[in-house]
Amino acid sequence: MNCSGLGSRFLVKDEEVYPVNAPWLKNFIRDGDGKTYIYPGIRYVNIGGTRQPDDWRLEVDKEDSKGILERCCQLEPSLRPSQVMGEANPRVEREYLHVQGRQLPLVHNYGHGSCGITLSWGTALDAVDLLRQSLFEKPPQARL
Ligand SMILES: Cc1cc2nc3c(=O)[nH]c(=O)nc-3n(C[C@H](O)[C@H](O)[C@H](O)COP(=O)(O)OP(=O)(O)OC[C@H]3O[C@@H](n4cnc5c(N)ncnc54)[C@H](O)[C@@H]3O)c2cc1C
């Protein structure tokens, strides 16, 4: 299982894992109802968010992303010139690693951005399902 969060950028070379680059921000900022927030981490900043009842889509919505940035810039205008380095879209999937002649299953579960606590209830179940399947399925055969 790979649940290394932002570490996946380095661990599995996933260049898409990246929040906002605004190293000058040091304080957390949240609006009244918590729908808009800016959470600086050690290296990057997470901004959010959305709350849309009955929205089951799993893809990133460009309009939502624009709206989040706009709302966050209103809260913190210094974010305007900052670079959005990527959008959170959890990666919950399995791949097979070829190690010493064996196919080893690797289940990824990362990329939750600023909603990991909320989303983890579902993504953890999906990740465990993928792991269970790996115990019963034969790994794909190499075609060499
Ligand atoms: C201030 C703040 C408030 C938040 N509030 C909310 C909220 O209200 N609701 C919500 O849903 N979410 C919230 N979040 C987001 C939530 O905390 C994250 O989405 C969640 O913690 C991500 O969990 P994770 O386990 O996927 O990743 P992480 O918590 O980042 O864990 C990844 C772990 O992998 C380890 N790791 C990395 N690379 C390697 C490696 N190469 N080898 C071994 N280990 C490695 C790291 O050290 C780390 O321990 C908030 C975040 C912040 C900062």
Side-chain angles (χ1 to χ4, degrees):
M1 283 271 199
N2 166 28
C3 308
S4 59
L6 278 175
S8 292
R9 185 172 172 83
F10 310 101
L11 191 63
V12 292
K13 311 270 177 287
D14 188 340
E15 303 274 314
E16 288 181 20
V17 185
Y18 245 136
V20 172
N21 189 21
W24 58 90
L25 284 183
K26 303 291 178 209
N27 298 314
F28 299 161
I29 306 173
R30 248 173 78 114
D31 72 353
D33 67 358
K35 191 178 160 198
T36 307
Y37 49 82
I38 303 166
Y39 296 149
I42 293 174
R43 281 187 286 177
Y44 306 109
V45 178
N46 278 313
I47 64 174
T50 55
R51 269 190 221 150
Q52 297 156 335
D54 219 18
D55 181 355
W56 295 85
R57 293 168 304 161
L58 297 176
E59 310 79 39
V60 170
D61 181 319
K62 292 285 166 200
E63 287 304 308
D64 282 349
S65 304
K66 254 171 63 184
I68 288 170
L69 188 59
E70 190 47 48
R71 278 184 278 125
C72 288
C73 286
Q74 279 170 18
L75 275 183
E76 176 51 60
S78 77
L79 269 179
R80 278 203 197 280
S82 65
Q83 201 185 349
V84 176
M85 310 192 82
E87 288 136 346
N89 205 14
R91 180 182 184 197
V92 184
E93 64 180 5
R94 178 183 54 177
E95 65 175 325
Y96 281 90
L97 297 182
H98 193 70
V99 183
Q100 295 175 347
R102 294 173 61 203
Q103 301 273 65
L104 296 183
L106 169 62
V107 176
H108 300 283
N109 184 13
Y110 65 86
H112 300 78
S114 0
C115 314
I117 296 161
T118 314
L119 299 177
S120 64
W121 294 89
T123 57
L125 289 176
D126 287 349
V128 169
D129 272 351
L130 287 173
L131 191 65
R132 279 208 189 99
Q133 284 170 28
S134 309
L135 298 176
F136 298 108
E137 282 174 13
K138 275 174 88 173
Q141 297 300 310
R143 291 201 196 143
L144 291 178

